[in-house]
């Protein structure tokens, strides 16, 4: 499908398998999510524009490439999106951060907002929205609508696992937003969980169930 990038890098796939395992500890789950965050950050920033600037090495002056334009904004969807953040900030330490607090109502599966804080100039920056799980896509579409209301126009979405239903909905509602994911799983179950999936990402990250 156009606009969807499935990251097949062996390190990503290996770590994802470890995360899916039901017996993985909270600590192990969180650490793996952080490591995969770093690897996915590498992929989602692969085509960032560069500009040549003049620098001086110990030997001579030279023209050398640097990232062009304004700094990135990383926008984790709380809670589980925070699991990606530290890994991404390791690679891009100067990025700004927008926090988007949403939870999925367990009965209706509608996303309910409880927090939003973003850099004032988000409209001028590339925004990378992140959440490990793209299930119904209710959370992702609500988060992207929210940052678009604030003027953001250059947006990418990164997740660990996606359901085909969520990919289709996000592409239909926000065709300008491309998706990076480590896997597109089989389907959603009757409770809106991704199958085979990895369960509830937030609960597994924080040991809340
Ligand atoms: C999970 C997950 C996503 C959302 C995905 O969050 O982290 O944000 O569900 O589902 P969707 O695509 O159907 O919207 P949850 O609402 O459980 O909140 P939490 O991260 O605070 O646990
Ligand atoms: N949210 C999760 O954490 N896991 C799923 O499978 C679906 C939504």
């Amino acid at each position: 499908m156009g606009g969807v990038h499935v990251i097949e890098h062996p390190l990503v796939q290996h770590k994802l398998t470890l995360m899916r395992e039901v017996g993985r500890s909270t600590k192990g789950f969180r650490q793996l999510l952080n490591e995969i965050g770093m690897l996915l950050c590498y992929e989602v920033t692969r085509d960032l524009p560069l500009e040549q600037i003049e620098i001086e090495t110990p030997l001579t002056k030279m023209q050398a490439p640097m990232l062009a334009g304004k700094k990135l904004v990383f926008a984790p969807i709380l809670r589980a999106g925070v699991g990606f953040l530290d890994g991404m900030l390791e690679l891009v330490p100067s990025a700004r951060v927008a926090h988007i607090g949403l939870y999925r109502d367990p009965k209706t599966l509608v996303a309910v907002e409880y927090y939003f804080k973003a850099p004032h100039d988000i409209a001028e920056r590339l925004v990378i929205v992140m959440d490990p799980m793209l299930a119904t896509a209710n959370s992702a579409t609500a988060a992207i609508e929210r940052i678009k209301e604030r003027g953001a126009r250059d947006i990418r979405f990164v997740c660990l696992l996606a359901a085909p239903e969520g990919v289709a909905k996000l592409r239909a509602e926000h065709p300008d937003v491309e998706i990076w994911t480590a896997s597109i799983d089989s389907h959603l179950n009757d409770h809106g969980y991704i199958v085979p999936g990895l369960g509830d990402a937030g609960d597994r990250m924080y040991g809340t169930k």
Side-chain angles (χ1 to χ4, degrees):
M1 188 187 288
V4 183
H5 310 260
V6 179
I7 308 304
E8 282 161 0
H9 192 293
L11 287 175
V12 172
Q13 294 301 319
H14 175 84
K15 288 173 194 292
L16 170 57
T17 298
L18 297 178
M19 291 186 72
R20 288 184 192 269
E21 288 181 317
V22 66
R24 187 67 43 205
S25 68
T26 301
K27 177 174 172 235
F29 188 91
R30 216 169 32 229
Q31 185 174 335
L32 286 159
L33 192 54
N34 182 57
E35 291 167 5
I36 296 185
M38 203 178 295
L39 294 164
L40 293 180
C41 182
Y42 184 79
E43 296 288 346
V44 74
T45 55
R46 192 176 268 282
D47 64 345
L48 291 187
L50 293 168
E51 63 185 350
Q52 297 293 323
I53 63 153
E54 185 173 286
I55 61 162
E56 206 170 334
T57 76
L59 301 181
T60 183
K61 289 186 175 172
M62 72 173 286
Q63 295 288 313
M66 290 272 277
L67 288 174
K70 286 224 173 204
K71 312 241 181 282
L72 303 185
V73 175
F74 290 144
I77 300 178
L78 311 183
R79 292 175 296 167
V82 171
F84 275 152
L85 185 61
D86 283 349
M88 300 230 181
L89 284 172
E90 286 272 323
L91 286 193
V92 190
S94 57
R96 307 300 194 244
V97 178
H99 289 92
I100 308 169
L102 293 173
Y103 73 88
R104 202 170 75 139
D105 182 286
K107 286 214 174 69
T108 62
L109 303 182
V110 168
V112 182
E113 183 178 311
Y114 58 87
Y115 188 78
F116 183 81
K117 188 96 176 177
H120 65 91
D121 57 354
I122 193 168
E124 297 156 38
R125 298 169 184 269
L126 167 62
V127 184
I128 299 181
V129 179
M130 58 190 77
D131 190 327
M133 312 304 276
L134 180 66
T136 63
N138 287 342
S139 305
T141 51
I144 290 165
E145 270 157 35
R146 193 70 166 81
I147 59 172
K148 282 186 174 175
E149 275 169 27
R150 290 284 296 269
R153 287 291 164 265
D154 193 5
I155 303 169
R156 299 178 179 192
F157 183 79
V158 180
C159 62
L160 183 59
L161 287 186
E165 298 90 329
V167 171
K169 174 169 161 135
L170 183 51
R171 292 297 297 147
E173 296 206 4
H174 295 286
D176 54 311
V177 177
E178 298 199 2
I179 301 170
W180 279 255
T181 183
S183 175
I184 301 178
D185 275 12
S186 164
H187 62 279
L188 290 178
N189 71 12
D190 293 343
H191 305 287
Y193 277 84
I194 300 173
V195 182
L198 51 69
D200 188 303
D203 284 340
R204 291 196 64 189
M205 250 183 82
Y206 293 115
T208 42
K209 210 173 240 173

